[in-house]
Amino acid sequence: MLADVRLSTGHAGVLLAERRGSYPLIDLRILKTSTQQGEVESGTRRKVKRLLSFQRYCHNSRLLRGLVPHTPGSLHLLDDDYLGQAAHMLSKVGTWNFDIFLFDRLTNGNSLVTLMCHLFNVYGLIHHFQLDMVKLHRFLGMVQEDYHSQNPYHNAVHAADVTQAMYCYLKEPKLAEQLSPLDVFLGLMAAAAHDVDHPGVNQPFLIKTRHHLASSTRYTANTSVLESHHWRSTVGMLRESGLLSHLPPNMSQDMEQQLGSLILATDISRQNEFLITFKEHLDNQDLDLQLASHRHFMLQIALKCADICNPCRVWELSRQWSERVCEEFYRQGDLERKFELEISPLCNQQADSVPAIQIGFISYIVEPLFEEWLRFTERSLLTQTMMTHLHKNKARWSLLQYTHASERQTHSQAEEPGPEGGGRRGEDIPNCDLDSWGVLSSFSEWGRGV
Ligand SMILES: [Zn+2]
């Protein structure tokens, strides 16, 4: 009974592993009126429910693995040319312009597993921790599969992208010389699993739709609902795969706890808390990377940087991530509109444009963190490259936002011509003010952890 393993409490009082699967994503039935709630379930609905239950069973059952024909992601479907190109890409996995979208296509959707296996080999982690290759593959396969491929942004490619960025940061001279194999292992594992089973909506949405992940019995005001779920799911998969079962219990428990601390640090609402501590360390010049606790803090910061580094990538890659994340926001907004809920900040496609969201994100979240990272790395070549991309991308979004705002104004003037007629170009510029769309204040509130 593999499924039951996920529910085991492991060592009493230490940590409850999470039941894997955030499905059903959203139980929309609770949003319907009370009269509808009282309706007898129709035959069709019952059939659909049975079908969904079966799909969920197939999705999760490891016993069925290999029995389902044409399993998506099978490397056997690829021809040698593709694998050769993927292998060639891996030889340059430490370069900042690594195209994770291309790599994912070349590996037939197996970018996360392939990348992690490669990096574990590069660092000799399999030998160092005496890992069983079958168990490692099994664990990584579970993690990759439990990302939702239908999410435009929070899917396994994002996890692979964050892992690749994390690898680049672990190689920074300031860090690389000090990191232990355990630090590297935890850093890569946390990056790969940090968003696993993400439902594609944010925490406030889960709370207002009374999703089981945010149920009142486990939720308090300061709980990072999603991040806790990502961590507990990871622990569940670690225990189910038995990847660390050969290690002394106190060591595997410590690894689980450290993974939790790293994954929980990715909660964007805790941005200021980390930023203030990071600044203090840099101002006081008191970071001592000989200390395990300081190295752990820097792994948290590195993971946070890796998680939000999209605007620091070359424009072509950066733009794709921007469009994906906004598409995910808009889908949530569409659901909220459909069920007459208040539309969350940044989720209103009519009001929150992609350029405006990106400029807010860069200004309030990305720039403040990466400016400190620049100080920490002592203006390393990689960080300078990232900052150059960041500033160029911000300028490009500003230009696009200006165009977008001008088009909006032209459009509204065409529909409702004012007494003064069309405004001159110079008069349009104040309408580019982001705060008029509430985007900056939304990010500002995120940053304050509101
Ligand atoms: Zn993420």
Side-chain angles (χ1 to χ4, degrees), residues 39-77:
E39 281 177 3
V40 179
E41 225 177 27
S42 72
T44 308
R45 198 180 297 171
R46 273 199 301 274
K47 280 178 199 161
V48 170
K49 256 178 95 175
R50 271 206 300 273
L51 177 66
L52 288 174
S53 307
F54 178 71
Q55 284 174 339
R56 166 127 180 80
Y57 176 70
C58 280
H59 175 74
N60 271 336
S61 174
R62 307 299 154 198
L63 296 171
L64 290 176
R65 178 159 292 171
L67 299 179
V68 181
H70 308 301
T71 307
S74 166
L75 280 171
H76 304 297
L77 298 175

Short mmCIF file of all heavy atoms in Angstrom, two decimals, residues 39-77:
data_model
loop_
_atom_site.label_atom_id
_atom_site.label_comp_id
_atom_site.label_asym_id
_atom_site.label_seq_id
_atom_site.Cartn_x
_atom_site.Cartn_y
_atom_site.Cartn_z
N GLU A 39 -29.14 20.26 -4.28
CA GLU A 39 -29.58 19.42 -5.40
C GLU A 39 -29.04 18.01 -5.30
O GLU A 39 -27.94 17.78 -4.81
CB GLU A 39 -29.07 20.03 -6.72
CG GLU A 39 -29.89 21.20 -7.19
CD GLU A 39 -29.28 21.79 -8.46
OE1 GLU A 39 -28.28 21.24 -8.96
OE2 GLU A 39 -29.82 22.79 -8.92
N VAL A 40 -29.85 17.08 -5.79
CA VAL A 40 -29.37 15.71 -5.86
C VAL A 40 -28.37 15.64 -7.01
O VAL A 40 -28.58 16.23 -8.06
CB VAL A 40 -30.56 14.75 -6.12
CG1 VAL A 40 -30.07 13.31 -6.23
CG2 VAL A 40 -31.58 14.89 -5.01
N GLU A 41 -27.29 14.97 -6.77
CA GLU A 41 -26.26 14.88 -7.80
C GLU A 41 -26.81 14.19 -9.05
O GLU A 41 -27.43 13.14 -8.95
CB GLU A 41 -25.11 14.03 -7.23
CG GLU A 41 -23.78 14.62 -7.52
CD GLU A 41 -22.68 13.80 -6.89
OE1 GLU A 41 -22.87 12.59 -6.68
OE2 GLU A 41 -21.64 14.39 -6.62
N SER A 42 -26.60 14.81 -10.17
CA SER A 42 -27.11 14.20 -11.39
C SER A 42 -26.27 13.00 -11.79
O SER A 42 -25.13 12.85 -11.34
CB SER A 42 -27.07 15.24 -12.52
OG SER A 42 -25.72 15.44 -12.88
N GLY A 43 -26.85 12.17 -12.62
CA GLY A 43 -26.11 10.98 -13.08
C GLY A 43 -24.84 11.35 -13.80
O GLY A 43 -23.80 10.73 -13.60
N THR A 44 -24.93 12.40 -14.64
CA THR A 44 -23.75 12.80 -15.40
C THR A 44 -22.63 13.23 -14.46
O THR A 44 -21.48 12.86 -14.62
CB THR A 44 -24.10 13.99 -16.32
OG1 THR A 44 -25.24 13.63 -17.06
CG2 THR A 44 -22.94 14.33 -17.23
N ARG A 45 -23.01 14.03 -13.44
CA ARG A 45 -21.99 14.52 -12.53
C ARG A 45 -21.34 13.35 -11.79
O ARG A 45 -20.15 13.34 -11.53
CB ARG A 45 -22.62 15.51 -11.54
CG ARG A 45 -21.58 16.37 -10.85
CD ARG A 45 -22.18 17.34 -9.89
NE ARG A 45 -23.07 18.30 -10.53
CZ ARG A 45 -23.84 19.14 -9.84
NH1 ARG A 45 -23.85 19.11 -8.54
NH2 ARG A 45 -24.60 19.99 -10.48
N ARG A 46 -22.16 12.37 -11.44
CA ARG A 46 -21.58 11.21 -10.74
C ARG A 46 -20.57 10.50 -11.63
O ARG A 46 -19.51 10.10 -11.20
CB ARG A 46 -22.69 10.22 -10.33
CG ARG A 46 -23.31 10.55 -8.97
CD ARG A 46 -24.01 9.34 -8.42
NE ARG A 46 -25.05 8.84 -9.31
CZ ARG A 46 -26.29 9.32 -9.30
NH1 ARG A 46 -26.64 10.28 -8.45
NH2 ARG A 46 -27.21 8.83 -10.12
N LYS A 47 -20.93 10.40 -12.93
CA LYS A 47 -20.01 9.72 -13.86
C LYS A 47 -18.70 10.49 -13.97
O LYS A 47 -17.62 9.91 -13.98
CB LYS A 47 -20.65 9.61 -15.26
CG LYS A 47 -21.64 8.47 -15.37
CD LYS A 47 -22.26 8.46 -16.76
CE LYS A 47 -23.55 7.67 -16.76
NZ LYS A 47 -24.41 7.98 -17.90
N VAL A 48 -18.81 11.83 -14.08
CA VAL A 48 -17.61 12.65 -14.19
C VAL A 48 -16.75 12.48 -12.95
O VAL A 48 -15.53 12.35 -13.01
CB VAL A 48 -17.98 14.14 -14.39
CG1 VAL A 48 -16.75 15.02 -14.26
CG2 VAL A 48 -18.64 14.34 -15.74
N LYS A 49 -17.41 12.45 -11.79
CA LYS A 49 -16.66 12.29 -10.54
C LYS A 49 -15.91 10.96 -10.50
O LYS A 49 -14.76 10.88 -10.09
CB LYS A 49 -17.62 12.37 -9.34
CG LYS A 49 -17.55 13.70 -8.61
CD LYS A 49 -18.53 13.77 -7.50
CE LYS A 49 -17.92 13.39 -6.18
NZ LYS A 49 -18.88 13.57 -5.09
N ARG A 50 -16.63 9.91 -10.98
CA ARG A 50 -15.97 8.60 -11.00
C ARG A 50 -14.76 8.61 -11.91
O ARG A 50 -13.71 8.08 -11.59
CB ARG A 50 -16.96 7.51 -11.45
CG ARG A 50 -17.75 6.90 -10.31
CD ARG A 50 -18.19 5.50 -10.68
NE ARG A 50 -19.04 5.48 -11.87
CZ ARG A 50 -20.36 5.64 -11.83
NH1 ARG A 50 -20.96 5.84 -10.68
NH2 ARG A 50 -21.07 5.62 -12.92
N LEU A 51 -14.93 9.27 -13.05
CA LEU A 51 -13.83 9.35 -14.02
C LEU A 51 -12.65 10.10 -13.40
O LEU A 51 -11.50 9.66 -13.48
CB LEU A 51 -14.30 10.07 -15.29
CG LEU A 51 -13.23 10.27 -16.36
CD1 LEU A 51 -12.78 8.94 -16.90
CD2 LEU A 51 -13.75 11.15 -17.48
N LEU A 52 -12.95 11.24 -12.74
CA LEU A 52 -11.88 12.02 -12.14
C LEU A 52 -11.18 11.22 -11.04
O LEU A 52 -9.96 11.28 -10.90
CB LEU A 52 -12.44 13.33 -11.56
CG LEU A 52 -12.86 14.36 -12.60
CD1 LEU A 52 -13.54 15.54 -11.94
CD2 LEU A 52 -11.68 14.85 -13.42
N SER A 53 -11.96 10.48 -10.26
CA SER A 53 -11.36 9.67 -9.21
C SER A 53 -10.39 8.66 -9.81
O SER A 53 -9.30 8.44 -9.31
CB SER A 53 -12.42 8.90 -8.43
OG SER A 53 -13.39 9.78 -7.98
N PHE A 54 -10.83 8.06 -10.92
CA PHE A 54 -9.98 7.07 -11.57
C PHE A 54 -8.70 7.71 -12.09
O PHE A 54 -7.60 7.18 -11.93
CB PHE A 54 -10.74 6.40 -12.72
CG PHE A 54 -9.90 5.40 -13.45
CD1 PHE A 54 -9.56 4.20 -12.85
CD2 PHE A 54 -9.43 5.67 -14.72
CE1 PHE A 54 -8.77 3.28 -13.52
CE2 PHE A 54 -8.64 4.76 -15.38
CZ PHE A 54 -8.31 3.56 -14.79
N GLN A 55 -8.87 8.92 -12.70
CA GLN A 55 -7.69 9.60 -13.22
C GLN A 55 -6.73 9.91 -12.09
O GLN A 55 -5.52 9.79 -12.21
CB GLN A 55 -8.10 10.89 -13.93
CG GLN A 55 -8.71 10.61 -15.29
CD GLN A 55 -9.24 11.87 -15.94
OE1 GLN A 55 -9.50 12.85 -15.27
NE2 GLN A 55 -9.42 11.83 -17.23
N ARG A 56 -7.31 10.31 -10.96
CA ARG A 56 -6.45 10.63 -9.82
C ARG A 56 -5.72 9.38 -9.34
O ARG A 56 -4.54 9.43 -8.99
CB ARG A 56 -7.32 11.21 -8.69
CG ARG A 56 -6.62 11.28 -7.37
CD ARG A 56 -6.69 12.67 -6.77
NE ARG A 56 -6.01 12.71 -5.49
CZ ARG A 56 -4.71 12.79 -5.35
NH1 ARG A 56 -3.93 12.85 -6.40
NH2 ARG A 56 -4.14 12.83 -4.16
N TYR A 57 -6.44 8.25 -9.35
CA TYR A 57 -5.83 7.01 -8.92
C TYR A 57 -4.67 6.63 -9.84
O TYR A 57 -3.58 6.31 -9.41
CB TYR A 57 -6.89 5.91 -8.89
CG TYR A 57 -6.31 4.56 -8.54
CD1 TYR A 57 -5.84 4.31 -7.24
CD2 TYR A 57 -6.21 3.56 -9.48
CE1 TYR A 57 -5.28 3.09 -6.92
CE2 TYR A 57 -5.66 2.34 -9.17
CZ TYR A 57 -5.20 2.10 -7.88
OH TYR A 57 -4.64 0.90 -7.57
N CYS A 58 -4.94 6.76 -11.15
CA CYS A 58 -3.89 6.44 -12.12
C CYS A 58 -2.70 7.37 -11.94
O CYS A 58 -1.55 6.95 -12.01
CB CYS A 58 -4.40 6.62 -13.56
SG CYS A 58 -5.36 5.24 -14.11
N HIS A 59 -3.03 8.64 -11.69
CA HIS A 59 -1.98 9.65 -11.59
C HIS A 59 -1.04 9.32 -10.43
O HIS A 59 0.17 9.46 -10.52
CB HIS A 59 -2.63 11.01 -11.37
CG HIS A 59 -1.65 12.13 -11.12
ND1 HIS A 59 -0.88 12.67 -12.12
CD2 HIS A 59 -1.30 12.77 -9.98
CE1 HIS A 59 -0.11 13.59 -11.62
NE2 HIS A 59 -0.34 13.69 -10.33
N ASN A 60 -1.63 8.87 -9.33
CA ASN A 60 -0.82 8.71 -8.14
C ASN A 60 -0.25 7.32 -7.92
O ASN A 60 0.70 7.16 -7.19
CB ASN A 60 -1.63 9.11 -6.90
CG ASN A 60 -1.48 10.58 -6.63
OD1 ASN A 60 -0.50 11.18 -7.04
ND2 ASN A 60 -2.45 11.17 -5.98
N SER A 61 -0.89 6.33 -8.50
CA SER A 61 -0.46 4.98 -8.17
C SER A 61 0.86 4.63 -8.80
O SER A 61 1.01 4.59 -10.01
CB SER A 61 -1.52 3.96 -8.64
OG SER A 61 -1.01 2.68 -8.41
N ARG A 62 1.83 4.38 -7.96
CA ARG A 62 3.14 3.97 -8.46
C ARG A 62 3.07 2.53 -8.97
O ARG A 62 3.92 2.11 -9.72
CB ARG A 62 4.19 4.07 -7.36
CG ARG A 62 4.25 5.41 -6.68
CD ARG A 62 4.59 6.51 -7.65
NE ARG A 62 4.07 7.78 -7.16
CZ ARG A 62 3.89 8.85 -7.91
NH1 ARG A 62 4.14 8.81 -9.18
NH2 ARG A 62 3.43 9.95 -7.40
N LEU A 63 2.05 1.79 -8.52
CA LEU A 63 1.95 0.40 -8.96
C LEU A 63 1.66 0.31 -10.44
O LEU A 63 2.00 -0.65 -11.11
CB LEU A 63 0.83 -0.32 -8.17
CG LEU A 63 1.09 -0.44 -6.67
CD1 LEU A 63 -0.14 -0.94 -5.97
CD2 LEU A 63 2.27 -1.37 -6.44
N LEU A 64 0.97 1.36 -10.96
CA LEU A 64 0.60 1.33 -12.37
C LEU A 64 1.72 1.82 -13.27
O LEU A 64 1.62 1.74 -14.48
CB LEU A 64 -0.64 2.22 -12.60
CG LEU A 64 -1.93 1.66 -12.01
CD1 LEU A 64 -3.06 2.66 -12.22
CD2 LEU A 64 -2.28 0.34 -12.65
N ARG A 65 2.76 2.36 -12.67
CA ARG A 65 3.84 2.91 -13.49
C ARG A 65 4.42 1.81 -14.39
O ARG A 65 4.72 0.72 -13.95
CB ARG A 65 4.94 3.48 -12.59
CG ARG A 65 6.09 4.01 -13.40
CD ARG A 65 6.87 4.98 -12.60
NE ARG A 65 6.07 6.18 -12.35
CZ ARG A 65 6.46 7.15 -11.52
NH1 ARG A 65 7.55 7.05 -10.86
NH2 ARG A 65 5.70 8.21 -11.36
N GLY A 66 4.52 2.14 -15.62
CA GLY A 66 5.08 1.17 -16.55
C GLY A 66 4.01 0.32 -17.21
O GLY A 66 4.24 -0.27 -18.25
N LEU A 67 2.81 0.29 -16.61
CA LEU A 67 1.74 -0.51 -17.20
C LEU A 67 0.88 0.33 -18.14
O LEU A 67 0.18 -0.18 -18.99
CB LEU A 67 0.84 -1.10 -16.10
CG LEU A 67 1.55 -2.04 -15.14
CD1 LEU A 67 0.57 -2.53 -14.08
CD2 LEU A 67 2.15 -3.22 -15.89
N VAL A 68 0.93 1.64 -17.93
CA VAL A 68 0.13 2.53 -18.78
C VAL A 68 0.93 2.79 -20.05
O VAL A 68 2.06 3.27 -19.99
CB VAL A 68 -0.16 3.86 -18.06
CG1 VAL A 68 -1.00 4.77 -18.93
CG2 VAL A 68 -0.87 3.58 -16.74
N PRO A 69 0.35 2.45 -21.21
CA PRO A 69 1.12 2.63 -22.44
C PRO A 69 1.36 4.10 -22.75
O PRO A 69 0.58 4.96 -22.35
CB PRO A 69 0.23 1.97 -23.51
CG PRO A 69 -1.14 1.99 -22.94
CD PRO A 69 -0.98 1.91 -21.45
N HIS A 70 2.40 4.36 -23.48
CA HIS A 70 2.74 5.72 -23.94
C HIS A 70 2.80 6.70 -22.79
O HIS A 70 2.22 7.76 -22.81
CB HIS A 70 1.72 6.22 -24.97
CG HIS A 70 1.53 5.25 -26.09
ND1 HIS A 70 2.56 4.84 -26.90
CD2 HIS A 70 0.42 4.60 -26.51
CE1 HIS A 70 2.10 3.97 -27.79
NE2 HIS A 70 0.80 3.81 -27.58
N THR A 71 3.49 6.31 -21.72
CA THR A 71 3.65 7.23 -20.59
C THR A 71 4.32 8.51 -21.06
O THR A 71 5.38 8.46 -21.66
CB THR A 71 4.55 6.57 -19.52
OG1 THR A 71 4.01 5.31 -19.23
CG2 THR A 71 4.62 7.43 -18.26
N PRO A 72 3.69 9.66 -20.82
CA PRO A 72 4.32 10.90 -21.26
C PRO A 72 5.69 11.05 -20.61
O PRO A 72 5.87 10.70 -19.45
CB PRO A 72 3.37 11.99 -20.74
CG PRO A 72 2.11 11.30 -20.37
CD PRO A 72 2.47 9.88 -20.07
N GLY A 73 6.60 11.55 -21.35
CA GLY A 73 7.91 11.82 -20.77
C GLY A 73 8.90 10.68 -20.92
O GLY A 73 10.00 10.75 -20.42
N SER A 74 8.47 9.61 -21.61
CA SER A 74 9.40 8.49 -21.76
C SER A 74 10.54 8.87 -22.69
O SER A 74 10.33 9.28 -23.81
CB SER A 74 8.66 7.27 -22.31
OG SER A 74 9.60 6.33 -22.73
N LEU A 75 11.74 8.70 -22.20
CA LEU A 75 12.90 9.05 -23.03
C LEU A 75 13.04 8.13 -24.23
O LEU A 75 13.68 8.46 -25.20
CB LEU A 75 14.18 8.99 -22.19
CG LEU A 75 14.42 10.22 -21.31
CD1 LEU A 75 15.59 9.96 -20.37
CD2 LEU A 75 14.71 11.45 -22.15
N HIS A 76 12.39 6.94 -24.14
CA HIS A 76 12.52 5.99 -25.24
C HIS A 76 11.88 6.52 -26.52
O HIS A 76 12.14 6.05 -27.60
CB HIS A 76 11.87 4.66 -24.87
CG HIS A 76 12.45 4.09 -23.61
ND1 HIS A 76 13.77 3.72 -23.52
CD2 HIS A 76 11.90 3.87 -22.40
CE1 HIS A 76 14.01 3.27 -22.30
NE2 HIS A 76 12.90 3.36 -21.60
N LEU A 77 10.98 7.52 -26.37
CA LEU A 77 10.31 8.05 -27.54
C LEU A 77 11.20 9.01 -28.33
O LEU A 77 10.89 9.39 -29.43
CB LEU A 77 9.04 8.82 -27.11
CG LEU A 77 7.98 7.98 -26.40
CD1 LEU A 77 6.84 8.87 -25.93
CD2 LEU A 77 7.46 6.88 -27.32
#
